[in-house]
PDB file of all heavy atoms in Angstrom:
ATOM      1  N   ASN A 779       1.624 -10.883 -42.951  1.00  0.00           N
ATOM      2  CA  ASN A 779       0.797 -11.926 -42.339  1.00  0.00           C
ATOM      3  C   ASN A 779       1.643 -13.050 -41.742  1.00  0.00           C
ATOM      4  O   ASN A 779       1.128 -14.130 -41.451  1.00  0.00           O
ATOM      5  CB  ASN A 779      -0.170 -12.505 -43.374  1.00  0.00           C
ATOM      6  CG  ASN A 779      -1.382 -11.622 -43.592  1.00  0.00           C
ATOM      7  OD1 ASN A 779      -2.010 -11.173 -42.643  1.00  0.00           O
ATOM      8  ND2 ASN A 779      -1.688 -11.342 -44.852  1.00  0.00           N
ATOM      9  N   ALA A 780       2.935 -12.796 -41.538  1.00  0.00           N
ATOM     10  CA  ALA A 780       3.821 -13.833 -41.002  1.00  0.00           C
ATOM     11  C   ALA A 780       3.417 -14.197 -39.572  1.00  0.00           C
ATOM     12  O   ALA A 780       3.100 -13.321 -38.757  1.00  0.00           O
ATOM     13  CB  ALA A 780       5.269 -13.348 -41.026  1.00  0.00           C
ATOM     14  N   ALA A 781       3.421 -15.493 -39.295  1.00  0.00           N
ATOM     15  CA  ALA A 781       3.075 -15.951 -37.948  1.00  0.00           C
ATOM     16  C   ALA A 781       4.130 -15.499 -36.945  1.00  0.00           C
ATOM     17  O   ALA A 781       5.307 -15.346 -37.273  1.00  0.00           O
ATOM     18  CB  ALA A 781       2.953 -17.469 -37.922  1.00  0.00           C
ATOM     19  N   TRP A 782       3.695 -15.275 -35.703  1.00  0.00           N
ATOM     20  CA  TRP A 782       4.623 -14.916 -34.635  1.00  0.00           C
ATOM     21  C   TRP A 782       5.456 -16.141 -34.245  1.00  0.00           C
ATOM     22  O   TRP A 782       4.966 -17.277 -34.283  1.00  0.00           O
ATOM     23  CB  TRP A 782       3.878 -14.398 -33.420  1.00  0.00           C
ATOM     24  CG  TRP A 782       3.272 -13.035 -33.601  1.00  0.00           C
ATOM     25  CD1 TRP A 782       2.948 -12.429 -34.774  1.00  0.00           C
ATOM     26  CD2 TRP A 782       2.926 -12.122 -32.561  1.00  0.00           C
ATOM     27  NE1 TRP A 782       2.421 -11.183 -34.543  1.00  0.00           N
ATOM     28  CE2 TRP A 782       2.393 -10.959 -33.189  1.00  0.00           C
ATOM     29  CE3 TRP A 782       3.011 -12.141 -31.181  1.00  0.00           C
ATOM     30  CZ2 TRP A 782       1.940  -9.860 -32.467  1.00  0.00           C
ATOM     31  CZ3 TRP A 782       2.568 -11.051 -30.452  1.00  0.00           C
ATOM     32  CH2 TRP A 782       2.043  -9.908 -31.095  1.00  0.00           C
ATOM     33  N   THR A 783       6.708 -15.913 -33.878  1.00  0.00           N
ATOM     34  CA  THR A 783       7.572 -16.990 -33.426  1.00  0.00           C
ATOM     35  C   THR A 783       7.486 -17.114 -31.901  1.00  0.00           C
ATOM     36  O   THR A 783       7.016 -16.205 -31.212  1.00  0.00           O
ATOM     37  CB  THR A 783       9.027 -16.723 -33.827  1.00  0.00           C
ATOM     38  OG1 THR A 783       9.455 -15.485 -33.246  1.00  0.00           O
ATOM     39  CG2 THR A 783       9.148 -16.638 -35.341  1.00  0.00           C
ATOM     40  N   THR A 784       7.941 -18.234 -31.382  1.00  0.00           N
ATOM     41  CA  THR A 784       7.952 -18.442 -29.932  1.00  0.00           C
ATOM     42  C   THR A 784       9.381 -18.704 -29.465  1.00  0.00           C
ATOM     43  O   THR A 784      10.156 -19.392 -30.138  1.00  0.00           O
ATOM     44  CB  THR A 784       7.064 -19.621 -29.511  1.00  0.00           C
ATOM     45  OG1 THR A 784       7.478 -20.799 -30.215  1.00  0.00           O
ATOM     46  CG2 THR A 784       5.615 -19.327 -29.822  1.00  0.00           C
ATOM     47  N   THR A 785       9.713 -18.135 -28.325  1.00  0.00           N
ATOM     48  CA  THR A 785      10.985 -18.402 -27.660  1.00  0.00           C
ATOM     49  C   THR A 785      10.709 -18.668 -26.192  1.00  0.00           C
ATOM     50  O   THR A 785       9.705 -18.223 -25.647  1.00  0.00           O
ATOM     51  CB  THR A 785      11.955 -17.208 -27.778  1.00  0.00           C
ATOM     52  OG1 THR A 785      11.332 -16.037 -27.233  1.00  0.00           O
ATOM     53  CG2 THR A 785      12.339 -16.963 -29.229  1.00  0.00           C
ATOM     54  N   ARG A 786      11.624 -19.366 -25.576  1.00  0.00           N
ATOM     55  CA  ARG A 786      11.443 -19.736 -24.177  1.00  0.00           C
ATOM     56  C   ARG A 786      12.661 -19.331 -23.367  1.00  0.00           C
ATOM     57  O   ARG A 786      13.802 -19.617 -23.762  1.00  0.00           O
ATOM     58  CB  ARG A 786      11.207 -21.243 -24.061  1.00  0.00           C
ATOM     59  CG  ARG A 786      10.874 -21.669 -22.641  1.00  0.00           C
ATOM     60  CD  ARG A 786      10.434 -23.112 -22.616  1.00  0.00           C
ATOM     61  NE  ARG A 786      10.227 -23.573 -21.257  1.00  0.00           N
ATOM     62  CZ  ARG A 786       9.942 -24.823 -20.940  1.00  0.00           C
ATOM     63  NH1 ARG A 786       9.819 -25.734 -21.894  1.00  0.00           N
ATOM     64  NH2 ARG A 786       9.773 -25.181 -19.682  1.00  0.00           N
ATOM     65  N   SER A 787      12.440 -18.654 -22.273  1.00  0.00           N
ATOM     66  CA  SER A 787      13.499 -18.313 -21.329  1.00  0.00           C
ATOM     67  C   SER A 787      13.318 -19.150 -20.076  1.00  0.00           C
ATOM     68  O   SER A 787      12.461 -20.043 -20.024  1.00  0.00           O
ATOM     69  CB  SER A 787      13.439 -16.814 -20.991  1.00  0.00           C
ATOM     70  OG  SER A 787      12.296 -16.537 -20.197  1.00  0.00           O
ATOM     71  N   ALA A 788      14.110 -18.824 -19.053  1.00  0.00           N
ATOM     72  CA  ALA A 788      14.001 -19.582 -17.806  1.00  0.00           C
ATOM     73  C   ALA A 788      12.680 -19.349 -17.103  1.00  0.00           C
ATOM     74  O   ALA A 788      12.263 -20.146 -16.265  1.00  0.00           O
ATOM     75  CB  ALA A 788      15.149 -19.215 -16.870  1.00  0.00           C
ATOM     76  N   THR A 789      11.981 -18.259 -17.433  1.00  0.00           N
ATOM     77  CA  THR A 789      10.772 -17.916 -16.681  1.00  0.00           C
ATOM     78  C   THR A 789       9.561 -17.618 -17.546  1.00  0.00           C
ATOM     79  O   THR A 789       8.504 -17.303 -17.011  1.00  0.00           O
ATOM     80  CB  THR A 789      11.036 -16.678 -15.792  1.00  0.00           C
ATOM     81  OG1 THR A 789      11.483 -15.592 -16.626  1.00  0.00           O
ATOM     82  CG2 THR A 789      12.089 -16.974 -14.738  1.00  0.00           C
ATOM     83  N   ALA A 790       9.677 -17.678 -18.879  1.00  0.00           N
ATOM     84  CA  ALA A 790       8.552 -17.237 -19.711  1.00  0.00           C
ATOM     85  C   ALA A 790       8.562 -17.930 -21.057  1.00  0.00           C
ATOM     86  O   ALA A 790       9.603 -18.369 -21.564  1.00  0.00           O
ATOM     87  CB  ALA A 790       8.593 -15.723 -19.912  1.00  0.00           C
ATOM     88  N   LEU A 791       7.353 -18.023 -21.628  1.00  0.00           N
ATOM     89  CA  LEU A 791       7.168 -18.410 -23.024  1.00  0.00           C
ATOM     90  C   LEU A 791       6.674 -17.165 -23.748  1.00  0.00           C
ATOM     91  O   LEU A 791       5.650 -16.586 -23.368  1.00  0.00           O
ATOM     92  CB  LEU A 791       6.147 -19.545 -23.140  1.00  0.00           C
ATOM     93  CG  LEU A 791       5.893 -20.059 -24.565  1.00  0.00           C
ATOM     94  CD1 LEU A 791       7.126 -20.767 -25.109  1.00  0.00           C
ATOM     95  CD2 LEU A 791       4.687 -21.001 -24.593  1.00  0.00           C
ATOM     96  N   THR A 792       7.405 -16.736 -24.785  1.00  0.00           N
ATOM     97  CA  THR A 792       7.128 -15.470 -25.447  1.00  0.00           C
ATOM     98  C   THR A 792       6.781 -15.685 -26.902  1.00  0.00           C
ATOM     99  O   THR A 792       7.490 -16.392 -27.637  1.00  0.00           O
ATOM    100  CB  THR A 792       8.344 -14.528 -25.344  1.00  0.00           C
ATOM    101  OG1 THR A 792       8.623 -14.280 -23.967  1.00  0.00           O
ATOM    102  CG2 THR A 792       8.074 -13.209 -26.045  1.00  0.00           C
ATOM    103  N   PHE A 793       5.667 -15.074 -27.332  1.00  0.00           N
ATOM    104  CA  PHE A 793       5.267 -15.022 -28.737  1.00  0.00           C
ATOM    105  C   PHE A 793       5.669 -13.648 -29.265  1.00  0.00           C
ATOM    106  O   PHE A 793       5.412 -12.623 -28.615  1.00  0.00           O
ATOM    107  CB  PHE A 793       3.761 -15.207 -28.874  1.00  0.00           C
ATOM    108  CG  PHE A 793       3.247 -16.554 -28.454  1.00  0.00           C
ATOM    109  CD1 PHE A 793       3.098 -16.879 -27.115  1.00  0.00           C
ATOM    110  CD2 PHE A 793       2.904 -17.507 -29.404  1.00  0.00           C
ATOM    111  CE1 PHE A 793       2.608 -18.115 -26.721  1.00  0.00           C
ATOM    112  CE2 PHE A 793       2.410 -18.750 -29.026  1.00  0.00           C
ATOM    113  CZ  PHE A 793       2.267 -19.056 -27.678  1.00  0.00           C
ATOM    114  N   LYS A 794       6.241 -13.581 -30.478  1.00  0.00           N
ATOM    115  CA  LYS A 794       6.797 -12.312 -30.934  1.00  0.00           C
ATOM    116  C   LYS A 794       6.794 -12.212 -32.455  1.00  0.00           C
ATOM    117  O   LYS A 794       6.996 -13.194 -33.165  1.00  0.00           O
ATOM    118  CB  LYS A 794       8.227 -12.148 -30.406  1.00  0.00           C
ATOM    119  CG  LYS A 794       8.869 -10.792 -30.657  1.00  0.00           C
ATOM    120  CD  LYS A 794      10.261 -10.731 -30.046  1.00  0.00           C
ATOM    121  CE  LYS A 794      10.881  -9.337 -30.220  1.00  0.00           C
ATOM    122  NZ  LYS A 794      11.029  -8.977 -31.639  1.00  0.00           N
ATOM    123  N   THR A 795       6.569 -10.977 -32.939  1.00  0.00           N
ATOM    124  CA  THR A 795       6.772 -10.659 -34.340  1.00  0.00           C
ATOM    125  C   THR A 795       8.054  -9.856 -34.470  1.00  0.00           C
ATOM    126  O   THR A 795       8.792  -9.657 -33.504  1.00  0.00           O
ATOM    127  CB  THR A 795       5.578  -9.883 -34.909  1.00  0.00           C
ATOM    128  OG1 THR A 795       5.734  -9.754 -36.329  1.00  0.00           O
ATOM    129  CG2 THR A 795       5.455  -8.507 -34.285  1.00  0.00           C
TER     130      THR A 795
END
Side-chain angles (χ1 to χ4, degrees):
N779 280 312
W782 288 23
T783 59
T784 56
T785 57
R786 186 171 175 186
S787 71
T789 57
L791 181 68
T792 300
F793 295 77
K794 187 178 183 299
T795 188

